[in-house]
């Protein structure tokens, strides 16, 4: 079914920023989060100016590589800088440029990302409708939504089309939520669970619902989104779980599971702690739905406390696992134990920091019987120390993380998620599963 493009059903509802006019007090943890974001923003503003050619006629930066390394870093920078400008209210000194310059670069990059999207082109080229592209559209789309009042009509139209087009992929005939293991025990993809994939695909549906609450597809978007989030960190025993989530027993939502009973996530054929951290992807609903004054799906944090508990409690013996064995979270250390090593980097403190912030502010740690505070503070201090080595604020040396070109753009996205949750909390504005008497799957008022 093609998207409903009638004006009444596709109109974007901008964020009501007046809700956040009251001044807030930033405690030390929030101030450190803001500093991490400020450093990452300063680096990425320079990166934008150096990484892209300008189309002066259309007033945009040119995106001419349509793969992950070409689009995802740009989309990540757009989102991270939007949070830095709208919520952290960083000044010229913190940004390393005037706020006018910063807004200008982000607007041009947003327009470039949206203009390179397939559905916005007439030549059949561009990016979109492929593996992970829904997530790139989410990051760029959320950045655009946060800067909506500052965008020209052309950019708004292209962003809107991009978000609808990617969201509608998941309600198209024949789409089925993927699972690592089927109910009969058959492992569909032995070395690659679908935890991360389902969580990031849910993000575009969260965003579409937040931006366009009157769209004709909202209830369908919500239902697929619920299964994607619930399935992302589902375990085998959930297939018999009668607990109701978003109005249905868990077992009726699921058609398989994606996480082992010990809380481990298998990616790249190893027990991979970095992919366990993608519990924060589903939890982005607490950012998008909060900004839209909407209720959050109960599925957004399904098994999050269980997974967080496993990081601190499940012990990996050596042998067979790498020496010295132990728990993934190491008491008193910012670093993480990788039972079978890692093919990315051992210095990815940013993704663990965001997980700790989520656990701290969304109470996953209390529900798991532990405190996230110690690890959150250890990692924030380590990130700031790493950023402090470089005048431009970037985090990694090349040797620390040579495997991913978009590493610094990922830092600004992770830092933005962490600061935005602190900021919403300071405004007493984090939405819950019931918001104003409404629930996630209640009919949307017309």
């Amino acid at each position: 079914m093609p998207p409903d493009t009638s004006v009444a059903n596709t109109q974007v509802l901008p964020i009501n920023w007046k809700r956040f006019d009251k001044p807030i007090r930033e405690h030390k943890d929030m101030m450190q989060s803001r500093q991490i974001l400020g450093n990452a923003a300063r680096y990425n503003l320079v990166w934008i100016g150096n990484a892209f050619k300008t189309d002066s006629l259309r007033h945009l930066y040119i995106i001419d590589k349509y793969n992950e390394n070409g689009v995802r870093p740009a989309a990540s920078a757009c989102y991270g800088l939007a949070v830095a400008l709208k919520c952290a209210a960083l000044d010229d000194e913190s940004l390393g440029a005037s706020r006018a310059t910063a807004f200008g670069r982000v607007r041009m990059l947003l327009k470039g990302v949206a203009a390179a999207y397939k559905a916005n082109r007439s030549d059949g080229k561009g990016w979109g409708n492929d593996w992970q592209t829904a997530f790139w559209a989410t990051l760029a789309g959320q950045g655009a939504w946060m800067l909506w009042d500052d965008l020209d009509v052309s950019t708004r139209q292209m962003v809107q089309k991009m978000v609808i087009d990617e969201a509608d992929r998941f309600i198209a005939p024949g789409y089925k939520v993927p699972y690592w293991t089927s109910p009969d025990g058959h492992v569909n993809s032995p070395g690659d669970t679908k935890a991360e994939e389902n969580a990031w695909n849910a993000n575009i549906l969260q965003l579409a619902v937040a931006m366009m609450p009157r769209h004709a597809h909202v209830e369908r978007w919500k239902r697929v989104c619920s299964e994607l989030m619930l399935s992302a960190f589902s375990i085998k025993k959930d297939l018999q779980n009668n607990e109701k989530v978003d109005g249905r027993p868990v077992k009726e939502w699921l058609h398989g599971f994606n996480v082992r009973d010990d809380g481990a996530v298998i990616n790249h054929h190893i027990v991979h702690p970095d992919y366990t951290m993608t519990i924060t992807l589903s939890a982005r609903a607490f950012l998008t739905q909060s900004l839209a004054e909407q209720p959050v799906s109960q599925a957004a944090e399904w098994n999050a406390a269980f997974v967080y508990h496993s990081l601190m409690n499940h012990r990996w013996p050596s042998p067979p696992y790498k020496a010295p064995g132990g728990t993934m979270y190491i008491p008193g250390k910012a670093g993480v134990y990788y039972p079978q090593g890692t093919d990315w980097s051992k210095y990815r403190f940013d993704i663990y920091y965001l997980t700790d912030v989520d656990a701290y502010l969304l109470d996953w740690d209390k529900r798991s019987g532990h405190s996230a505070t110690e690890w959150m503070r250890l990692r924030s201090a380590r990130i700031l120390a790493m950023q402090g080595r470089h005048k431009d604020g970037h985090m990694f040396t090349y040797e620390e993380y040579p495997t991913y070109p978009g590493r610094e753009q990922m830092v600004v996205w992770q830092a933005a998620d962490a600061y935005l949750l602190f900021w919403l909390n300071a405004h007493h504005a984090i939405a819950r599963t019931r918001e104003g008497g409404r629930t996630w799957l209640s009919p949307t008022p017309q």
Side-chain angles (χ1 to χ4, degrees):
M1 180 181 294
D4 185 331
T5 56
S6 65
V7 174
N9 283 332
T10 61
Q11 184 177 6
V12 170
L13 186 65
I15 296 167
N16 176 16
W17 293 109
K18 291 183 179 180
R19 295 171 58 210
F20 307 109
D21 281 348
K22 291 183 180 179
I24 56 175
R25 295 183 64 182
E26 292 190 337
H27 51 77
K28 184 178 179 180
D29 292 323
M30 186 175 178
M31 289 172 65
Q32 287 188 323
S33 180
R34 186 173 184 270
Q35 187 177 356
I36 290 169
L37 176 58
N39 290 336
R42 185 169 71 256
Y43 171 80
N44 276 281
L45 277 173
V46 174
W47 173 79
I48 290 172
N50 293 333
F52 301 99
K53 295 179 181 178
T54 302
D55 182 331
S56 56
L57 185 63
R58 294 188 293 166
H59 303 289
L60 55 78
Y61 286 116
I62 299 169
I63 305 293
D64 54 8
K65 295 179 181 177
Y66 308 131
N67 56 16
E68 179 180 354
N69 292 339
V71 181
R72 177 171 158 178
S76 300
C78 287
Y79 164 69
L81 286 162
V83 174
L85 291 167
K86 292 297 290 189
C87 302
L90 297 173
D91 58 21
D92 295 2
E93 182 178 357
S94 299
L95 291 167
S98 70
R99 284 178 59 82
T101 296
F103 270 106
R105 288 185 183 176
V106 179
R107 282 196 298 265
M108 288 176 64
L109 189 55
L110 279 168
K111 191 169 188 177
V113 171
Y117 186 74
K118 281 183 177 180
N120 290 320
R121 298 174 64 112
S122 59
D123 59 5
K125 298 180 181 179
W127 67 275
N129 295 294
D130 203 348
W131 180 83
Q132 206 187 79
T133 60
F135 187 53
W136 312 343
T138 298
L139 291 169
Q142 189 165 352
W145 183 45
M146 296 186 77
L147 300 179
W148 203 251
D149 294 338
D150 300 295
L151 303 181
D152 60 37
V153 173
S154 173
T155 304
R156 291 182 185 181
Q157 290 174 340
M158 289 189 295
V159 166
Q160 189 174 333
K161 192 170 186 178
M162 173 184 73
V163 171
I164 293 171
D165 192 61
E166 287 289 335
D168 277 352
R169 288 172 50 200
F170 302 101
I171 62 171
Y175 175 75
K176 293 182 179 180
V177 172
Y179 289 87
W180 175 48
T181 301
S182 300
D184 61 5
H186 176 72
V187 180
N188 302 313
S189 52
D192 182 22
T193 74
K194 299 303 174 183
E196 179 195 34
E197 184 177 325
N198 288 359
W200 79 44
N201 284 336
N203 279 188
I204 193 64
L205 299 164
Q206 295 168 2
L207 180 63
V209 170
M211 288 178 67
M212 293 165 281
R214 297 181 179 86
H215 194 283
H217 295 170
V218 159
E219 290 303 310
R220 294 164 64 195
W221 287 339
K222 286 181 178 180
R223 291 186 185 281
V224 177
C225 186
S226 289
E227 184 181 347
L228 283 166
M229 292 187 293
L230 194 61
S231 68
F233 285 86
S234 56
I235 57 179
K236 186 176 182 179
K237 69 178 183 180
D238 289 336
L239 297 175
Q240 307 301 321
N241 193 329
N242 284 305
E243 179 183 348
K244 283 194 173 182
V245 170
D246 292 342
R248 293 171 60 188
V250 170
K251 67 181 184 181
E252 292 183 13
W253 279 110
L254 297 175
H255 300 91
F257 60 94
N258 281 302
V259 177
R260 291 190 344 188
D261 290 343
D262 57 11
V265 172
I266 306 299
N267 271 64
H268 302 187
H269 297 274
I270 59 174
V271 172
H272 213 313
D274 289 0
Y275 288 89
T276 307
M277 296 306 103
T278 58
I279 54 174
T280 61
L281 289 174
S282 291
R284 297 191 80 248
F286 288 95
L287 307 178
T288 50
Q289 270 51 61
S290 295
L291 289 171
E293 299 180 80
Q294 295 175 353
V296 175
S297 163
Q298 292 173 300
E301 52 181 354
W302 183 252
N303 282 339
F306 159 73
V307 169
Y308 199 71
H309 181 270
S310 74
L311 295 169
M312 291 177 267
N313 285 275
H314 184 77
R315 301 192 68 83
W316 302 86
S318 176
Y321 296 100
K322 288 184 177 291
T327 55
M328 291 181 180
Y329 270 31
I330 306 169
K333 302 288 186 180
V336 173
Y337 167 62
Y338 289 85
Q340 294 180 304
T342 179
D343 49 1
W344 289 119
S345 165
K346 293 183 179 180
Y347 300 92
R348 300 185 69 191
F349 304 110
D350 52 325
I351 63 173
Y352 292 91
Y353 170 67
L354 174 58
T355 303
D356 297 330
V357 171
D358 280 0
Y360 172 64
L361 293 175
L362 299 176
D363 295 331
W364 299 347
D365 58 344
K366 295 181 179 65
R367 282 179 271 166
S368 69
H370 294 271
S371 173
T373 309
E374 177 188 6
W375 279 288
M376 178 180 71
R377 291 173 179 168
L378 283 167
R379 286 190 250 275
S380 65
R382 186 64 179 272
I383 293 167
L384 286 169
M386 291 173 73
Q387 291 177 323
R389 300 174 300 177
H390 310 120
K391 187 176 180 180
D392 62 6
H394 74 275
M395 179 174 166
F396 300 103
T397 63
Y398 176 78
E399 293 77 14
E400 289 169 342
Y401 197 176
T403 50
Y404 184 52
R407 53 192 172 271
E408 297 296 336
Q409 290 69 55
M410 189 165 183
V411 172
V412 79
W413 146 40
Q414 300 285 296
D417 272 7
Y419 182 78
L420 181 52
L421 195 63
F422 270 120
W423 186 82
L424 288 165
N425 184 65
H427 282 284
H428 306 286
I430 296 178
R432 301 296 176 181
T433 56
R434 286 189 174 272
E435 189 74 7
R438 297 170 297 149
T439 57
W440 168 249
L441 283 172
S442 297
T444 305
Q446 298 296 317

